[in-house]
Amino acid sequence: MDEALLAQLTSSQRKAVSHRDGPLLVLAGPGSGKTRVITCRIAALVDSGVRPYNICAITFTNKAAEEMRQRAAALGPSGGAHISTFHSLCVRILRRYAEAAGIHSNFSIYDSADQSKCVKQAVKDCGLDGTNFPPARMLDAISTLKNKLIDAEAFQERAEDFFSRTLSQVYTRYQQILAERNGLDFDDLLMKVAFLLETDSAVCGELSNRFKFLLIDEYQDTNHAQYRLAKALALPHGNICATGDPDQSIYRWRGADIRNILAFEKDWPEAVVVKLEENFRSTAAILRAADSLIARNTNRKQKALVAVRTDEGKVCVEGHEDEAAEADAVARQVDALLSQKVPAGQIAVFYRVNAMSRALEEAFVRRRVPYQVVRGVEFYNRKEIRDLLAYLKVLANPADEVALLRIINTPTRGIGKVTVDRVKAFAVSHGLTLSQALARADQVPEVSGAARTKLMAFSCLLDKLRRDIVGPVAPLAERVFRESGLEQSFKGTGQDGQDALENISELINAAAAYDQQTTEPSLLDYLQQIALFSDTDAYEATSERAALMTLHAAKGLEFDHVFIIGLEDGLLPHERGNGDGDELEEERRLFFVGVTRARINLYLSYARYRTVRGQFLRTVASPFLFELGLDSITQKDEEPEDDEDAFGGYGRRPRLASRPVPAKQAEPEFAPGQLVRHKTFGLGRVRKYADMGANSVVTIQFNTGQTKSLLLQYAHLTRV
């Protein structure tokens, strides 16, 4: 490897890059050059004689994988290594070893909307009431089981109580429906590959021999299925490099298990551990606050955050009267930054839940501040986009009944629900897929002659389009859009139709870009990329607009100026995680991730009143604010406005009355075990008391089962 490049690395980075054989754990703090280390390590392995063909690097988002591919290619021959997400790797394996996995290679990947339809059908087929057994709850439970590698058959054997036995029926039927439609959901991709590697020694041996060096990024976010999959691949040779940070594990709610990285040295006793502690991203003030915050967690591996930057940024905390005042203050500050020639793309606003973007968007529109809401999957959820993609899915996988039912009368071609139900019944009675039954519509006695003609014409259209599925995707998508009648259906329908046409045009442009960037474009591969698309992948870093996004979507990004709003107990930490256990630690890690996205300045805010489910409620500042180690917090009253109508006709807001939080003053102590009463939450017992003077926080477990961390000066507790 180039000596000049090695010389640019820190001593800890060089140690990680130069390690060759055997297990390696790289504990990489935020902004520590993790991606650079991984790509340089790939180059170093190639330089030592390892073929790029034998290297597999796995990360969690398409954007991160693409960045890694580009960086590896820039380092020369290392560009031939396989770099992808876990799910993309699994799709590739399942396409290649479909027969061994017991599936068809042209399977569809079902997104959340498709899964929802299938599980609703499963609940119905099991004779259950969707009100008592909500499909969404059933699907969440099934996903959890799959992440733990518990298939329907295994779960059926262990189901003992009423709910488990009912869930077992739904799980079994759901899997049958997926199989009938040649579909896999996201969890299936991981589960089937993990099972394949653990049960088929020939396949596992072939893949382990292919991928002799396994590099896994963001190891703290792996779930049990990913953990088992990686272990099976690496066990024959032991060349596994796990890079990650326990302090940035924020996906417990979707199955990520922080124990995977915490127990790495137990799984691989010969592992070399390298800590990347130098932070190249953030100013010292931000890192001091982040260090003070995350030190409160116990499930972590100790490491420091050492600032490399010498410029001194700032961390500001402000309280506002309500969410409208908070949003307006953020919009005003962003506008001020823009007036100072700060690029809009270097400004971001983070929040805990998507619903919080509404007030921000209103404030940004009012002040004419350019912004983008990073919620990228919404483009692919638009009706016209889903309609065209459904046609493409059926061409790739004729058994995809969900997609077929979507397009059979889209655009309207006179095929009604009764006719479709009769064809479906014919398909079931003759052991056919719905697509096969359509081709034999002339044999369905219950269907009238006119309806048969329409069904046969639709089936012939699909057959004709299917002849061109090999090769570039964009020309096929354009032809489908035209010949299916979709294009004509939008013309002459006003602005809505024009918007739909523009969206379809954008989709075809994206398909054309895919064709140009791919050596061998294929419809299956293109549909796979869309199915695995995430919010973070939609973020346009070059956009001259400030970014609004959730804290989860912010993972992996960085900005010069970061605003985090809604620092209130019940929002951050979220009410579901407001306790003493693992969930509270994850909420703290989520805040830590948001804090460490900032390069220069960090602006934190909370509202003293917020509208929750239609009620205007008093809030309590987040206990996390007092864990940052800051000297004081500035509270602001409502902001003056020049425009009387700027707040919807409610008149001008009072003038600023800024004041710091009072210095420490004597507060009564509440010892753990003390029984107390709160006017809203009722009786509870003190779990923990943090004496911070006026900012003291008391954590209480209430008889309702809720655990709340309350700012003592506002809690108005009564001893019992």
Side-chain angles (χ1 to χ4, degrees):
M1 186 178 173
D2 188 271
E3 289 297 327
L5 184 58
L6 276 176
Q8 296 174 21
L9 303 176
T10 65
S11 58
S12 55
Q13 288 177 334
R14 281 196 297 272
K15 184 177 179 182
V17 167
S18 302
H19 178 87
R20 192 184 190 281
D21 298 308
L24 171 68
L25 174 62
V26 180
L27 294 173
S32 61
K34 172 172 60 70
T35 303
R36 187 181 195 187
V37 166
I38 295 173
T39 52
C40 285
R41 177 165 162 71
I42 293 172
L45 287 171
V46 173
D47 194 54
S48 71
V50 179
R51 295 169 59 203
Y53 178 82
N54 294 131
I55 300 172
C56 177
I58 305 173
T59 188
F60 273 77
T61 68
N62 294 319
K63 184 179 289 291
E66 181 57 31
E67 180 186 357
M68 203 176 287
R69 275 192 290 268
Q70 291 176 3
R71 290 202 196 183
L75 294 176
S78 56
H82 176 86
I83 301 174
S84 74
T85 64
F86 259 110
H87 287 91
S88 294
L89 175 65
C90 288
V91 171
R92 181 171 177 168
I93 291 172
L94 290 174
R95 300 273 191 221
R96 169 70 177 80
Y97 298 100
E99 187 176 349
I103 58 176
H104 299 289
S105 62
N106 65 334
F107 59 83
S108 293
I109 302 171
Y110 275 17
D111 61 19
S112 55
D114 297 332
Q115 293 170 43
S116 179
K117 290 178 182 177
C118 290
V119 80
K120 284 178 182 177
Q121 184 64 49
V123 169
K124 181 180 178 181
D125 291 351
C126 291
L128 300 172
D129 184 349
T131 304
N132 297 327
F133 298 95
R137 185 187 176 194
M138 298 287 105
L139 193 57
D140 283 343
I142 291 170
S143 178
T144 299
L145 290 170
K146 289 185 178 182
N147 283 333
K148 295 178 180 178
L149 294 186
I150 302 173
D151 62 17
E153 186 177 346
F155 183 64
Q156 186 176 29
E157 294 176 358
R158 66 179 70 179
E160 296 178 351
D161 57 66
F162 174 73
F163 177 77
S164 295
R165 289 195 296 271
T166 305
L167 175 60
S168 174
Q169 295 176 38
V170 175
Y171 188 3
T172 300
R173 180 58 190 141
Y174 173 72
Q175 290 303 109
Q176 289 172 348
I177 291 172
L178 288 178
E180 290 166 1
R181 299 174 184 180
N182 192 22
L184 301 179
D185 63 23
F186 297 129
D187 299 315
D188 282 330
L189 299 176
L190 300 173
M191 183 172 72
K192 286 189 177 295
V193 171
F195 284 157
L196 178 64
L197 294 175
E198 292 181 344
T199 58
D200 194 317
S201 58
V203 171
C204 185
E206 189 173 324
L207 287 169
S208 293
N209 191 52
R210 160 75 194 276
F211 300 128
K212 293 179 179 177
F213 287 84
L214 188 63
L215 292 76
I216 304 176
D217 189 18
E218 306 288 7
Y219 195 72
Q220 77 279 352
D221 291 329
T222 53
N223 61 26
H224 186 63
Q226 290 161 334
Y227 163 78
R228 293 257 295 268
L229 189 161
K231 193 171 183 180
L233 278 176
L235 205 55
H237 47 66
N239 295 322
I240 180 172
C241 170
T243 305
D245 180 8
D247 292 338
Q248 297 185 71
S249 178
I250 61 172
Y251 295 111
R252 184 172 182 265
W253 51 276
R254 71 181 189 195
D257 192 342
I258 194 174
R259 294 174 298 180
N260 293 347
I261 191 168
L262 294 176
F264 186 85
E265 294 147 278
K266 181 183 288 187
D267 290 335
W268 306 93
E270 298 177 1
V272 172
V273 180
V274 178
K275 294 182 180 181
L276 304 182
E277 297 177 306
E278 297 92 344
N279 181 290
F280 298 89
R281 175 188 299 154
S282 305
T283 53
I286 293 169
L287 295 183
R288 283 195 298 269
D291 245 342
S292 175
L293 171 74
I294 204 62
R296 306 291 183 119
N297 275 7
T298 56
N299 290 322
R300 63 190 300 257
K301 285 183 177 288
Q302 186 63 39
K303 67 182 183 311
L305 296 178
V306 181
V308 173
R309 298 180 64 141
T310 56
D311 51 332
E312 186 70 20
K314 61 183 179 181
V315 179
C316 305
V317 184
E318 292 183 350
H320 301 279
E321 184 64 16
D322 55 27
E323 68 263 32
E326 178 185 50
D328 189 68
V330 170
R332 187 179 63 256
Q333 289 171 293
V334 171
D335 197 26
L337 288 170
L338 295 177
S339 69
Q340 298 165 22
K341 306 303 180 183
V342 172
Q346 289 303 324
I347 303 171
V349 187
F350 304 153
Y351 34 82
R352 180 62 179 85
V353 293
N354 274 313
M356 297 173 70
S357 71
R358 181 189 59 80
L360 284 170
E361 291 187 73
E362 290 175 357
F364 276 53
V365 168
R366 189 165 57 241
R367 290 188 176 271
R368 295 184 175 87
V369 175
Y371 70 92
Q372 61 170 314
V373 178
V374 182
R375 208 180 299 162
V377 293
E378 289 199 346
F379 176 79
Y380 292 103
N381 283 333
R382 291 171 176 151
K383 182 182 183 302
E384 61 273 13
I385 299 298
R386 293 189 70 86
D387 288 343
L388 180 53
L389 289 177
Y391 273 95
L392 297 177
K393 288 179 181 179
V394 171
L395 298 185
N397 174 20
D400 190 340
E401 187 173 308
V402 171
L404 187 56
L405 288 173
R406 184 180 186 93
I407 64 173
I408 196 168
N409 198 40
T410 303
T412 303
R413 49 176 59 91
I415 301 175
K417 183 178 183 302
V418 173
T419 297
V420 173
D421 287 343
R422 287 171 177 169
V423 177
K424 286 172 67 177
F426 176 81
V428 171
S429 64
H430 289 75
L432 305 172
T433 65
L434 181 58
S435 181
Q436 291 169 333
L438 285 177
R440 295 166 58 177
D442 57 339
Q443 300 175 25
V444 184
E446 296 85 359
V447 174
S448 67
R452 288 181 190 173
T453 301
K454 295 170 184 174
L455 291 171
M456 295 292 288
F458 176 63
S459 180
C460 289
L461 169 66
L462 296 180
D463 285 341
K464 183 173 67 171
L465 293 171
R466 193 169 288 121
R467 298 187 195 119
D468 293 335
I469 65 170
V470 176
V473 176
L476 174 63
E478 197 162 5
R479 184 183 168 202
V480 169
F481 184 50
R482 184 176 61 254
E483 296 187 18
S484 65
L486 283 173
E487 181 180 35
Q488 188 61 39
S489 71
F490 294 129
K491 292 181 177 179
T493 56
Q495 187 58 47
D496 287 345
Q498 185 59 38
D499 290 344
L501 287 169
E502 290 175 1
N503 288 334
I504 292 292
S505 178
E506 183 59 30
L507 179 69
I508 293 173
N509 289 341
Y514 161 81
D515 290 337
Q516 293 171 1
Q517 297 165 6
T518 309
T519 306
E520 295 181 7
S522 75
L523 181 56
L524 275 174
D525 182 61
Y526 174 70
L527 292 173
Q528 167 192 321
Q529 288 195 17
I530 290 177
L532 302 180
F533 192 81
S534 68
D535 281 350
T536 306
D537 296 325
Y539 169 62
E540 298 177 24
T542 58
S543 170
E544 286 306 310
R545 295 174 291 167
L548 312 183
M549 68 184 78
T550 65
L551 284 159
H552 282 100
K555 180 76 179 293
L557 303 176
E558 55 184 55
F559 305 86
D560 284 348
H561 306 274
V562 166
F563 296 78
I564 305 179
I565 68 169
L567 267 297
E568 298 141 33
D569 193 28
L571 269 180
L572 189 62
H574 195 276
E575 60 182 353
R576 291 194 299 269
N578 197 354
D580 274 343
D582 294 340
E583 289 185 349
L584 180 59
E585 291 211 351
E586 174 136 333
E587 290 292 306
R588 188 178 285 113
R589 290 194 295 268
L590 182 60
F591 184 34
F592 174 80
V593 165
V595 167
T596 54
R597 299 309 94 193
R599 295 194 191 102
I600 303 174
N601 295 321
L602 176 66
Y603 306 85
L604 308 173
S605 64
Y606 65 95
R608 294 196 291 278
Y609 291 88
R610 189 173 294 274
T611 305
V612 180
R613 300 183 185 92
Q615 292 184 299
F616 195 57
L617 302 178
R618 186 74 165 89
T619 69
V620 176
S622 170
F624 292 164
L625 286 174
F626 308 103
E627 298 175 0
L628 294 169
L630 305 178
D631 295 332
S632 66
I633 295 174
T634 300
Q635 300 185 59
K636 285 193 176 182
D637 286 331
E638 297 164 320
E639 182 69 11
E641 253 313 313
D642 294 332
D643 183 359
E644 290 187 11
D645 295 324
F647 289 88
Y650 288 98
R652 296 176 186 263
R653 291 196 179 273
R655 202 159 277 282
L656 278 175
S658 301
R659 58 190 182 277
V661 172
K664 285 191 176 183
Q665 48 188 280
E667 292 283 355
E669 289 192 9
F670 286 83
Q674 170 74 52
L675 193 64
V676 295
R677 184 186 301 278
H678 186 276
K679 64 179 181 180
T680 301
F681 305 119
L683 282 174
R685 197 170 295 278
V686 175
R687 297 278 297 278
K688 185 169 62 177
Y689 176 72
D691 186 359
M692 294 184 285
N695 300 326
S696 295
V697 176
V698 59
T699 303
I700 305 166
Q701 183 171 12
F702 291 98
N703 290 353
T704 59
Q706 294 177 300
T707 298
K708 295 284 184 181
S709 294
L710 306 175
L711 196 61
L712 188 59
Q713 62 177 321
Y714 297 124
H716 304 301
L717 297 172
T718 304
R719 289 186 178 85
V720 178

